[in-house]
């Protein structure tokens, strides 16, 4: 263990809360009550849904129930990637046709701008910088995947995406050994906790009732059950993402996948000179066990990836603590990308869970026979997808209640998608850990063989995962 890892603040929810402070606590549910809509989960999906419903229909009585505090989960711990990726697009293309998937992608492209617009309109200062997304390749196999990825994205209508060689990539950012990159303008960096705290305050000011420290133990038609009372409403919307497994009957619905992050101390001007990154793009790579990073508003690098990917029995973490070995592994990625930062101190490390459906497809649904709705399964792409899901849930509720008609959003191919449950234990633990061990082995093999062919190990892991 390096002194850098041992000196880092570990947990405390996330660096974002250490930077901006925890929100003031809101009162728990005082007892049984009624509403027009009850939303379970006070993260991006739940809060955006409350926001758009209330803006469209101010008379609605909306109650949000949150087990800890708004933004305790992935919404306050993520990498701050507001970008146009959506889980499951290729599967939706196979199921519903290419044009349907193109419409879904176009909606995601527009969603990036919608989040930026809404935050600005509501006075939410979340350190947003719209620099796009840069994904780099650092080996021949990654370069081949990068070119294929770039062409694939163009086929979904991304006419403004650009492909760069080694020299053009180096002009943008000094990633050691980068042989190429792909850039899209449909992305922005932001401060996750500032966004979710600002959104919660805006929603409350609109007249939405928000109860924190109120865990929902069971959802059933027209009922959200908590230890403090039951909220009855015609519509009960589940927006719990990686914490869905804690609900009665949902242990195997979505798998809580663990992701971990580190944040450096603020870099010096000399260090930034070596790194570059003037465009403040969000940064990713083409590894199978990929990384993601941003240049923060206060001059740090926040970088993440998979640590221990899954805890037995779908358990979730304890306030964001992560393993020392994971901190070391993320630090190794940081230094491999930016050798000039070999001596930089890691100031903070943390982890969180994201929701993964068995077929790796994000979904949004309203069951018109029961009034139960849900959205999620974002597989780590939730900062923007949650907003599109929320606007879609709004439209589905208004359609069902007779207050609105079908819209472009209600016709997107992810609406109403159903997926089978995950395997029981110990099979899902063995499967997930085996899958990520195989992906890491594939990355190691590609970095040493320097072959332009992707490792067969990665294709094996894809089949085991059910990702294709």
């Amino acid at each position: 263990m390096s002194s850098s890892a041992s000196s880092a603040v570990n947990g405390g929810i996330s660096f974002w809360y250490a930077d901006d402070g925890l929100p003031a606590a809101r009162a728990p549910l005082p007892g049984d009550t009624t509403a027009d809509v009850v939303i379970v989960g006070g993260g991006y999906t739940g809060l955006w849904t409350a926001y758009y419903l209330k803006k469209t229909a101010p008379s609605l009585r909306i109650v949000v129930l949150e087990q800890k505090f708004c933004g305790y989960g992935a919404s306050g711990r993520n990498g701050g990637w507001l970008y146009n990726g959506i889980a499951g697009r290729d599967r939706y293309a196979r199921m519903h046709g290419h044009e349907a998937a193109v419409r879904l992608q176009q909606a995601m492209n527009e969603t990036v701008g919608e989040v930026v617009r809404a935050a600005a309109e509501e006075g939410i200062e979340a350190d947003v910088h719209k620099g796009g997304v840069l994904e780099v390749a650092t080996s021949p196999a990654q370069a081949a995947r990068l070119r294929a990825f770039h062409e694939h994205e163009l086929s979904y209508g991304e006419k403004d995406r650009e492909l760069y060689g080694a020299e053009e990539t180096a002009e943008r950012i000094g990633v050691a050994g980068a042989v190429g990159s792909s850039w899209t303008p449909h992305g922005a960096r932001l401060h996750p906790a500032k966004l979710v705290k600002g959104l919660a305050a805006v929603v409350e000011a609109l007249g939405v009732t928000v109860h924190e420290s109120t865990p929902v133990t069971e959802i059933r038609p027209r009922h959200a059950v908590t230890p403090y009372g039951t909220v009855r409403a015609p519509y009960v919307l589940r927006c719990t993402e990686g914490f869905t497994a804690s609900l009665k009957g949902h242990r195997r619905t979505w798998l809580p996948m663990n992701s971990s992050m580190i944040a450096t101390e603020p870099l010096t001007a000399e260090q930034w000179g070596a790194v570059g990154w003037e465009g403040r793009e969000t940064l990713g790579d083409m590894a199978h066990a990929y990384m993601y990073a941003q240049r923060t508003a206060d001059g740090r690098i926040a970088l993440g990836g998979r640590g221990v990917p899954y805890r037995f029995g779908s358990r979730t973490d304890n306030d964001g603590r992560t393993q020392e070995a994971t901190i070391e592994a993320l630090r190794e990625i940081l230094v491999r990308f930016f050798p000039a930062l070999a001596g930089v101190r890691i100031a903070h490390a943390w982890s969180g869970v994201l929701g993964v459906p068995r077929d790796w497809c994000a979904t949004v649904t309203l069951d018109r026979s029961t009034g139960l709705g849900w959205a999620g399964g974002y597989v780590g792409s939730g900062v923007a997808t949650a907003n599109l899901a929320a606007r879609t849930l709004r439209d589905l509720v208004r359609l069902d209640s007779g207050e609105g008609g079908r819209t472009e959003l209600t016709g997107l191919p992810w609406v109403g998608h159903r997926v089978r449950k995950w395997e029981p234990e110990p099979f899902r633990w063995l499967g997930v850990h085996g899958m990520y061990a195989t992906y890491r082995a594939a990355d190691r093999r590609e970095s040493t063989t320097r072959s332009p062919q992707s490792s067969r190990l990665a294709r094996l892991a894809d089949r085991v995962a059910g990702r294709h």
Side-chain angles (χ1 to χ4, degrees):
M1 182 199 321
S2 76
S3 59
S4 175
S6 60
S7 66
V9 175
N10 191 344
I13 317 300
S14 71
F15 160 74
W16 309 116
Y17 284 115
D19 178 53
D20 199 56
L22 292 173
R26 295 176 174 88
L29 181 71
D32 292 345
T33 189
T34 61
D36 297 312
V37 180
V38 58
I39 295 169
V40 181
Y44 291 147
T45 305
L47 293 173
W48 278 125
T49 301
Y51 172 80
Y52 287 110
L53 276 169
K54 195 69 172 173
K55 292 283 276 192
T56 306
S59 63
L60 282 178
R61 296 173 302 144
I62 302 172
V63 173
V64 175
L65 302 175
E66 164 55 41
Q67 67 162 341
K68 293 288 184 78
F69 60 83
C70 289
Y72 173 80
S75 298
R77 309 190 198 190
N78 63 79
W81 270 49
L82 176 70
Y83 86 119
N84 66 339
I86 184 166
R89 182 194 60 190
D90 290 351
R91 189 180 293 268
Y92 288 131
R94 291 194 296 272
M95 293 174 65
H96 300 278
H98 184 73
E99 284 309 310
V102 169
R103 287 190 286 109
L104 181 60
Q105 184 60 66
Q106 183 60 40
M108 280 303 306
N109 296 349
E110 294 167 356
T111 294
V112 174
E114 169 60 17
V115 173
V116 175
R117 182 205 64 77
E121 182 177 291
E122 299 297 345
I124 301 172
E125 176 45 65
D127 298 340
V128 177
H129 182 87
K130 200 165 184 286
V133 184
L134 188 72
E135 289 167 282
V136 300
T138 57
S139 72
Q142 286 191 25
R145 283 199 298 278
L146 178 81
R147 288 189 294 272
F149 164 76
H150 181 83
E151 292 302 318
H152 198 54
E153 296 307 299
L154 295 183
S155 77
Y156 283 100
E158 263 207 74
K159 304 307 182 191
D160 40 9
R161 178 174 283 274
E162 298 176 5
L163 184 66
Y164 303 133
E167 188 175 326
E168 295 165 299
T169 301
E171 289 173 359
R172 279 183 171 264
I173 188 165
V175 173
V179 293
S181 61
S182 180
W183 176 82
T184 175
H186 302 293
R189 170 214 75 190
L190 55 75
H191 188 300
K194 288 183 179 180
L195 177 61
V196 74
K197 287 165 66 176
L199 185 55
V202 167
V203 161
E204 212 166 29
L206 287 172
V208 172
T209 302
V210 180
H211 292 299
E212 296 181 329
S213 299
T214 304
V216 173
T217 55
E218 183 181 3
I219 291 173
R220 57 178 187 262
R222 286 168 276 283
H223 295 75
V225 181
T226 85
Y228 311 124
T230 296
V231 182
R232 292 170 175 80
Y235 299 102
V236 183
L237 307 180
R238 189 186 83 225
C239 304
T240 47
E241 194 56 356
F243 293 88
T244 300
S246 65
L247 290 164
K248 182 178 179 179
H250 287 285
R251 178 58 60 90
R252 293 162 52 199
T253 298
W254 289 334
L255 185 139
M257 185 78 75
N258 195 62
S259 198
S260 296
M261 293 197 70
I262 56 173
T264 69
E265 63 189 343
L267 303 190
T268 65
E270 183 180 8
Q271 287 169 325
W272 279 122
V275 169
W277 212 344
E278 293 299 319
R280 292 164 174 75
E281 306 91 344
T282 57
L283 175 67
D285 74 351
M286 299 305 294
H288 300 292
Y290 52 83
M291 56 75 71
Y292 52 94
Q294 68 150 284
R295 176 175 176 167
T296 69
D298 65 345
R300 305 168 190 264
I301 293 177
L303 180 148
R306 298 288 181 267
V308 175
Y310 172 70
R311 291 177 171 85
F312 191 87
S314 292
R315 288 180 290 117
T316 52
D317 63 81
N318 180 26
D319 285 353
R321 282 193 64 81
T322 195
Q323 299 78 12
E324 296 286 354
T326 298
I327 302 174
E328 278 302 301
L330 293 174
R331 180 186 169 74
E332 286 172 10
I333 295 172
L334 174 75
V335 175
R336 185 170 78 243
F337 271 49
F338 306 113
L341 303 185
V344 76
R345 186 177 71 87
I346 304 304
H348 208 118
W350 70 99
S351 64
V353 291
L354 48 102
V356 182
R358 189 60 185 89
D359 65 357
W360 301 71
C361 289
T363 58
V364 56
T365 298
L366 179 66
D367 185 334
R368 301 186 72 172
S369 67
T370 62
L372 296 178
W374 58 91
Y378 304 134
V379 196
S381 298
V383 181
T385 314
N387 179 277
L388 179 61
R391 287 182 285 127
T392 306
L393 277 175
R394 171 202 61 193
D395 289 359
L396 289 170
V397 168
R398 287 181 56 74
L399 172 64
D400 184 73
S401 65
E403 297 298 319
R406 298 187 183 279
T407 67
E408 289 184 9
L409 299 187
T410 62
L412 292 174
W414 69 328
V415 174
H417 178 73
R418 302 295 180 115
V419 61
R420 67 183 173 93
K421 291 181 180 292
W422 281 87
E423 292 77 3
E425 295 292 22
F427 300 107
R428 67 179 181 273
W429 187 92
L430 291 168
V432 173
H433 280 261
M435 174 184 71
Y436 272 99
T438 306
Y439 280 139
R440 285 191 286 268
D443 286 328
R444 287 194 298 273
R445 180 169 295 182
E446 290 177 3
S447 68
T448 55
T449 63
R450 310 302 291 175
S451 167
Q453 298 298 317
S454 289
S455 170
R456 286 197 295 269
L457 288 171
R459 294 198 289 274
L460 172 64
D462 282 344
R463 282 200 294 274
V464 170
R467 299 179 79 163
H468 296 294

